[in-house]
Amino acid sequence: MLPALKIWALLSVSLCCLSQPVHPKKGFRCPSTCSCSKESIICVGSSYVPRINPNDINSLSIVNGTFSEVKEAMFAHMSSLQLLLLNSNSLTTIRDDAFSVSFLSSSSNKIETVYKYAFRGLRDLTHLSLANNKIKVLHRDLFSDLDSLIELDLRGNAFECDCRAKWLMTWLKNTNATVSDVVCAGPEDMKDKRLNDMSSLHDECISTDFILHHYKNDVYVAIAAPSAESCLVFQWDHIEMNFRTYDNITGQSIVGCKTVVIENEVFVIVAQLFGGSHIYKFDEDQSRFSKFQDIEVSKISKPNDIEAFQIGADWFFVIADSSKAGLSTLYKWNNKGFYSYQSLHEWYRDTDAEFLDLDGKAHLILASRSQVPVIYQWSRSNQKFVLQGEIPNMEDVVAVKHFRIKEELYLAMTRYIGDSKVLRWGAKQFAEIQALPSRGSMILQPFTFKERYYLALGSDYTFSQIYLWDDDKKLFDRFKEVYIQAPRSFTMVSTDRRDFMFASSFKGNTQIFEHIIIDLSL
């Protein structure tokens, strides 16, 4: 064994294939913290990498150094360097493209992070040691360029043998290099096991995230934009793979717009505080929405929500009226237009309406700022909604949304003051299962992407929250914070196998977040 290999075995982390010794150039001055010979330099306690070096030095050792990072091209000025020992220093990070050597040792440091491309291009590297550091995770394909690797030492680290180690487990099975034991420090059920011996890891390696989506104009579908006094109609561009504005329905203080498709014709119901509410219909000849019908002003004083639905072959929509003399009204389609059909819940300042199927029967829930939510059931005999009951202990609910998880029915109840609540249907009643802190919230919206169940909780005072359902605990856990100015609604859109969340606001522009899949094993 060559003397250099003995040093590597002792100190670990090095590169090999030394060239023939060459005398240093004349005028070379050895740094004060170093000892220099014809072809090598050894530095003790250095706070930096020596910069004044002859090009023919092929061996450099730095011990007990005080610098914390190996930066990109840090040793590029030493073009002949082939053996590098960086043992027992204060290193915590190795950045991309840090080395250009054949024999590398960086053991007994405090390294926690090795960048994905730290060893990029080192096709002549034969010996590598990262022993006795604080490494928990190594990036996938970290060793993909090491075609000549003979020996790898990873002892003395604290590897987490979860899904992020799956690639390393596979690589250990396929590499021709001799690799030290890779001992697991966690999770608890894997502690002290050897990754070298494993054939599978059962941890879930897929997670998700919501990232702000940048779009050229505005959105898709129909979303009220109160700050712009408009209802934006949006279209997904399948060529540019982006959202663009298709039409803009303007009005006065628009608080909601809802699309309804009846016999292949598209309608947009637009509710506004002033100037009356209206229905628009898509005009194919003009490729835009034109006013189709006015909604009776006498019936709607202060609209706050629109809910459209179908019962049997009939189409309906209801507008929740939040004025003190409010009269929430049900409208029915009669093949010529929508006309008032039934008055509901007079004088109660309704804030939200939610249509749902409850035990096979059509129901309507109306939420109110002045009393607990009430439940109506559709009567087949008289073809009207009949008051059935209420949801107790749920005062000051501003919005109610229903959702299902594996056939179980839940309600998301939004409260502006106090905690918002998640309720589950069972034994002919709704029972609370979870409270979510929600001061200043106007919407708690359930939705599902990629078989994952979420709640988006808006806030007027702080960051909005996204919660993710934990199937083991049967509860929602906090998943991500997003900054949206006073969100009033969340609308979910899926197109071209991509999923988006639209967040509209009374104070700012509509924002779009894309739901993405993250492979944690990368």
Side-chain angles (χ1 to χ4, degrees):
M1 180 179 287
L2 294 174
L5 294 186
K6 292 180 180 177
I7 294 175
W8 172 80
L10 209 71
L11 302 178
S12 120
V13 186
S14 38
L15 304 173
C16 141
C17 300
L18 305 183
S19 60
Q20 294 297 318
V22 180
H23 294 285
K25 293 182 179 179
K26 292 182 180 180
F28 167 66
R29 179 179 296 177
C30 187
S32 58
T33 57
C34 304
S35 298
C36 304
S37 66
K38 292 180 179 180
E39 70 268 356
S40 65
I41 299 176
I42 299 176
C43 302
V44 179
S46 179
S47 61
Y48 60 93
V49 174
R51 300 298 301 176
I52 307 173
N53 286 304
N55 290 333
D56 43 24
I57 288 294
N58 56 42
S59 172
L60 172 64
S61 298
I62 301 177
V63 182
N64 296 331
T66 58
F67 53 93
S68 61
E69 284 189 340
V70 180
K71 299 180 180 179
E72 180 181 349
M74 200 169 187
F75 303 94
H77 62 290
M78 306 178 72
S79 58
S80 298
L81 187 64
Q82 294 193 353
L83 185 148
L84 177 61
L85 302 178
L86 299 174
N87 298 326
S88 301
N89 294 287
S90 299
L91 295 177
T92 60
T93 303
I94 300 177
R95 294 189 176 272
D96 289 339
D97 302 311
F99 305 109
S100 179
V101 287
S102 301
F103 194 103
L104 171 62
S105 175
S106 186
S107 65
S108 300
N109 288 287
K110 302 174 183 178
I111 296 173
E112 297 178 355
T113 303
V114 182
Y115 277 47
K116 185 175 183 177
Y117 301 114
F119 307 131
R120 180 162 51 186
L122 299 184
R123 300 194 181 280
D124 294 327
L125 184 66
T126 59
H127 291 74
L128 171 63
S129 174
L130 294 169
N132 300 316
N133 284 289
K134 296 183 178 181
I135 299 171
K136 294 182 178 180
V137 177
L138 291 174
H139 284 282
R140 188 184 188 120
D141 299 326
L142 179 66
F143 306 134
S144 60
D145 279 357
L146 307 187
D147 298 340
S148 302
L149 192 64
I150 296 172
E151 193 165 355
L152 172 64
D153 193 350
L154 296 174
R155 292 173 298 171
N157 286 289
F159 284 102
E160 288 291 323
C161 294
D162 53 21
C163 70
R164 295 169 295 176
K166 279 191 172 183
W167 78 267
L168 182 57
M169 177 189 70
T170 302
W171 183 85
L172 290 170
K173 296 287 184 295
N174 297 323
T175 183
N176 292 322
T178 299
V179 185
S180 66
D181 290 349
V182 179
V183 179
C184 303
E188 190 62 32
D189 61 337
M190 302 294 290
K191 194 171 182 179
D192 297 328
K193 294 182 179 179
R194 294 175 71 252
L195 189 63
N196 314 59
D197 298 334
M198 298 177 192
S199 57
S200 64
L201 287 173
H202 302 294
D203 274 27
E204 173 63 61
C205 279
I206 299 299
S207 184
T208 56
D209 197 3
F210 291 86
I211 58 172
L212 190 60
H213 179 75
H214 299 284
Y215 50 97
K216 293 186 176 179
N217 294 312
D218 229 303
V219 209
Y220 173 112
V221 187
I223 294 180
S227 63
E229 295 193 331
S230 66
C231 174
L232 296 170
V233 180
F234 334 101
Q235 185 180 47
W236 173 256
D237 190 317
H238 293 274
I239 297 175
E240 295 194 11
M241 300 296 283
N242 214 326
F243 294 98
R244 62 183 179 89
T245 302
Y246 186 80
D247 201 354
N248 185 9
I249 301 172
T250 58
Q252 301 179 52
S253 61
I254 292 176
V255 295
C257 50
K258 182 78 70 172
T259 55
V260 182
V261 180
I262 302 175
E263 296 178 353
N264 294 322
E265 296 200 302
V266 182
F267 300 89
V268 177
I269 305 161
V270 179
Q272 52 187 23
L273 295 177
F274 309 106
S277 297
H278 313 283
I279 300 175
Y280 290 77
K281 179 182 176 182
F282 183 70
D283 187 326
E284 290 189 6
D285 294 332
Q286 299 184 38
S287 293
R288 64 186 301 273
F289 285 88
S290 301
K291 186 183 288 187
F292 172 73
Q293 177 187 347
D294 293 327
I295 299 174
E296 300 139 295
V297 176
S298 60
K299 295 286 184 180
I300 302 297
S301 301
K302 192 177 180 182
N304 199 73
D305 180 56
I306 309 166
E307 178 77 349
F309 50 90
Q310 189 175 14
I311 300 177
D314 295 321
W315 276 99
F316 300 87
F317 73 84
V318 62
I319 294 182
D321 194 311
S322 62
S323 66
K324 289 183 179 179
L327 189 64
S328 295
T329 304
L330 179 70
Y331 295 83
K332 182 181 179 181
W333 173 256
N334 69 352
N335 294 320
K336 295 182 179 180
F338 281 98
Y339 296 94
S340 59
Y341 184 76
Q342 182 182 2
S343 296
L344 299 165
H345 212 215
E346 190 172 359
W347 303 102
Y348 283 112
R349 300 175 62 196
D350 293 331
T351 55
D352 194 64
E354 180 75 354
F355 177 79
L356 71 161
D357 183 292
L358 198 58
D359 293 338
K361 298 179 182 178
H363 286 73
L364 187 67
I365 299 178
L366 291 177
S368 167
R369 298 298 297 268
S370 61
Q371 73 164 48
V372 296
V374 293
I375 303 176
Y376 288 83
Q377 181 176 317
W378 181 255
S379 172
R380 293 182 179 177
S381 58
N382 62 15
Q383 296 290 290
K384 294 286 182 71
F385 279 107
V386 178
L387 186 62
Q388 185 187 45
E390 62 183 33
I391 302 176
N393 304 316
M394 278 291 155
E395 292 80 6
D396 195 37
V397 173
V398 295
V400 53
K401 305 295 177 187
H402 81 282
F403 60 102
R404 293 182 183 273
I405 299 178
K406 297 180 179 179
E407 303 305 318
E408 288 200 271
L409 176 65
Y410 296 84
L411 293 181
M413 313 289 284
T414 313
R415 300 171 75 198
Y416 193 80
I417 300 173
D419 293 341
S420 292
K421 303 293 180 71
V422 179
L423 282 64
R424 181 171 57 217
W425 175 254
K428 301 299 180 181
Q429 63 181 357
F430 286 103
E432 178 185 334
I433 65 166
Q434 188 173 5
L436 304 174
S438 60
R439 180 176 176 267
S441 297
M442 294 295 289
I443 183 65
L444 177 61
Q445 177 68 52
F447 62 101
T448 303
F449 284 150
K450 301 293 187 293
E451 299 183 353
R452 290 174 176 249
Y453 301 94
Y454 298 95
L455 289 177
L457 177 64
S459 176
D460 282 5
Y461 299 116
T462 182
F463 287 96
S464 295
Q465 303 289 335
I466 297 176
Y467 290 83
L468 174 64
W469 177 257
D470 186 315
D471 202 43
D472 293 328
K473 296 189 292 186
K474 304 297 182 185
L475 295 171
F476 285 95
D477 287 333
R478 187 174 292 182
F479 178 71
K480 184 180 179 67
E481 284 187 341
V482 288
Y483 179 70
I484 307 162
Q485 245 185 323
R488 284 299 180 271
S489 72
F490 295 100
T491 303
M492 311 306 155
V493 176
S494 296
T495 181
D496 285 343
R497 293 181 292 182
R498 294 170 67 181
D499 301 312
F500 300 91
M501 177 179 74
F502 297 80
S504 64
S505 165
F506 271 167
K507 297 181 179 180
N509 295 327
T510 296
Q511 293 189 71
I512 307 177
F513 294 84
E514 183 173 1
H515 178 260
I516 61 172
I517 300 295
I518 299 175
D519 189 342
L520 296 177
S521 67
L522 295 177

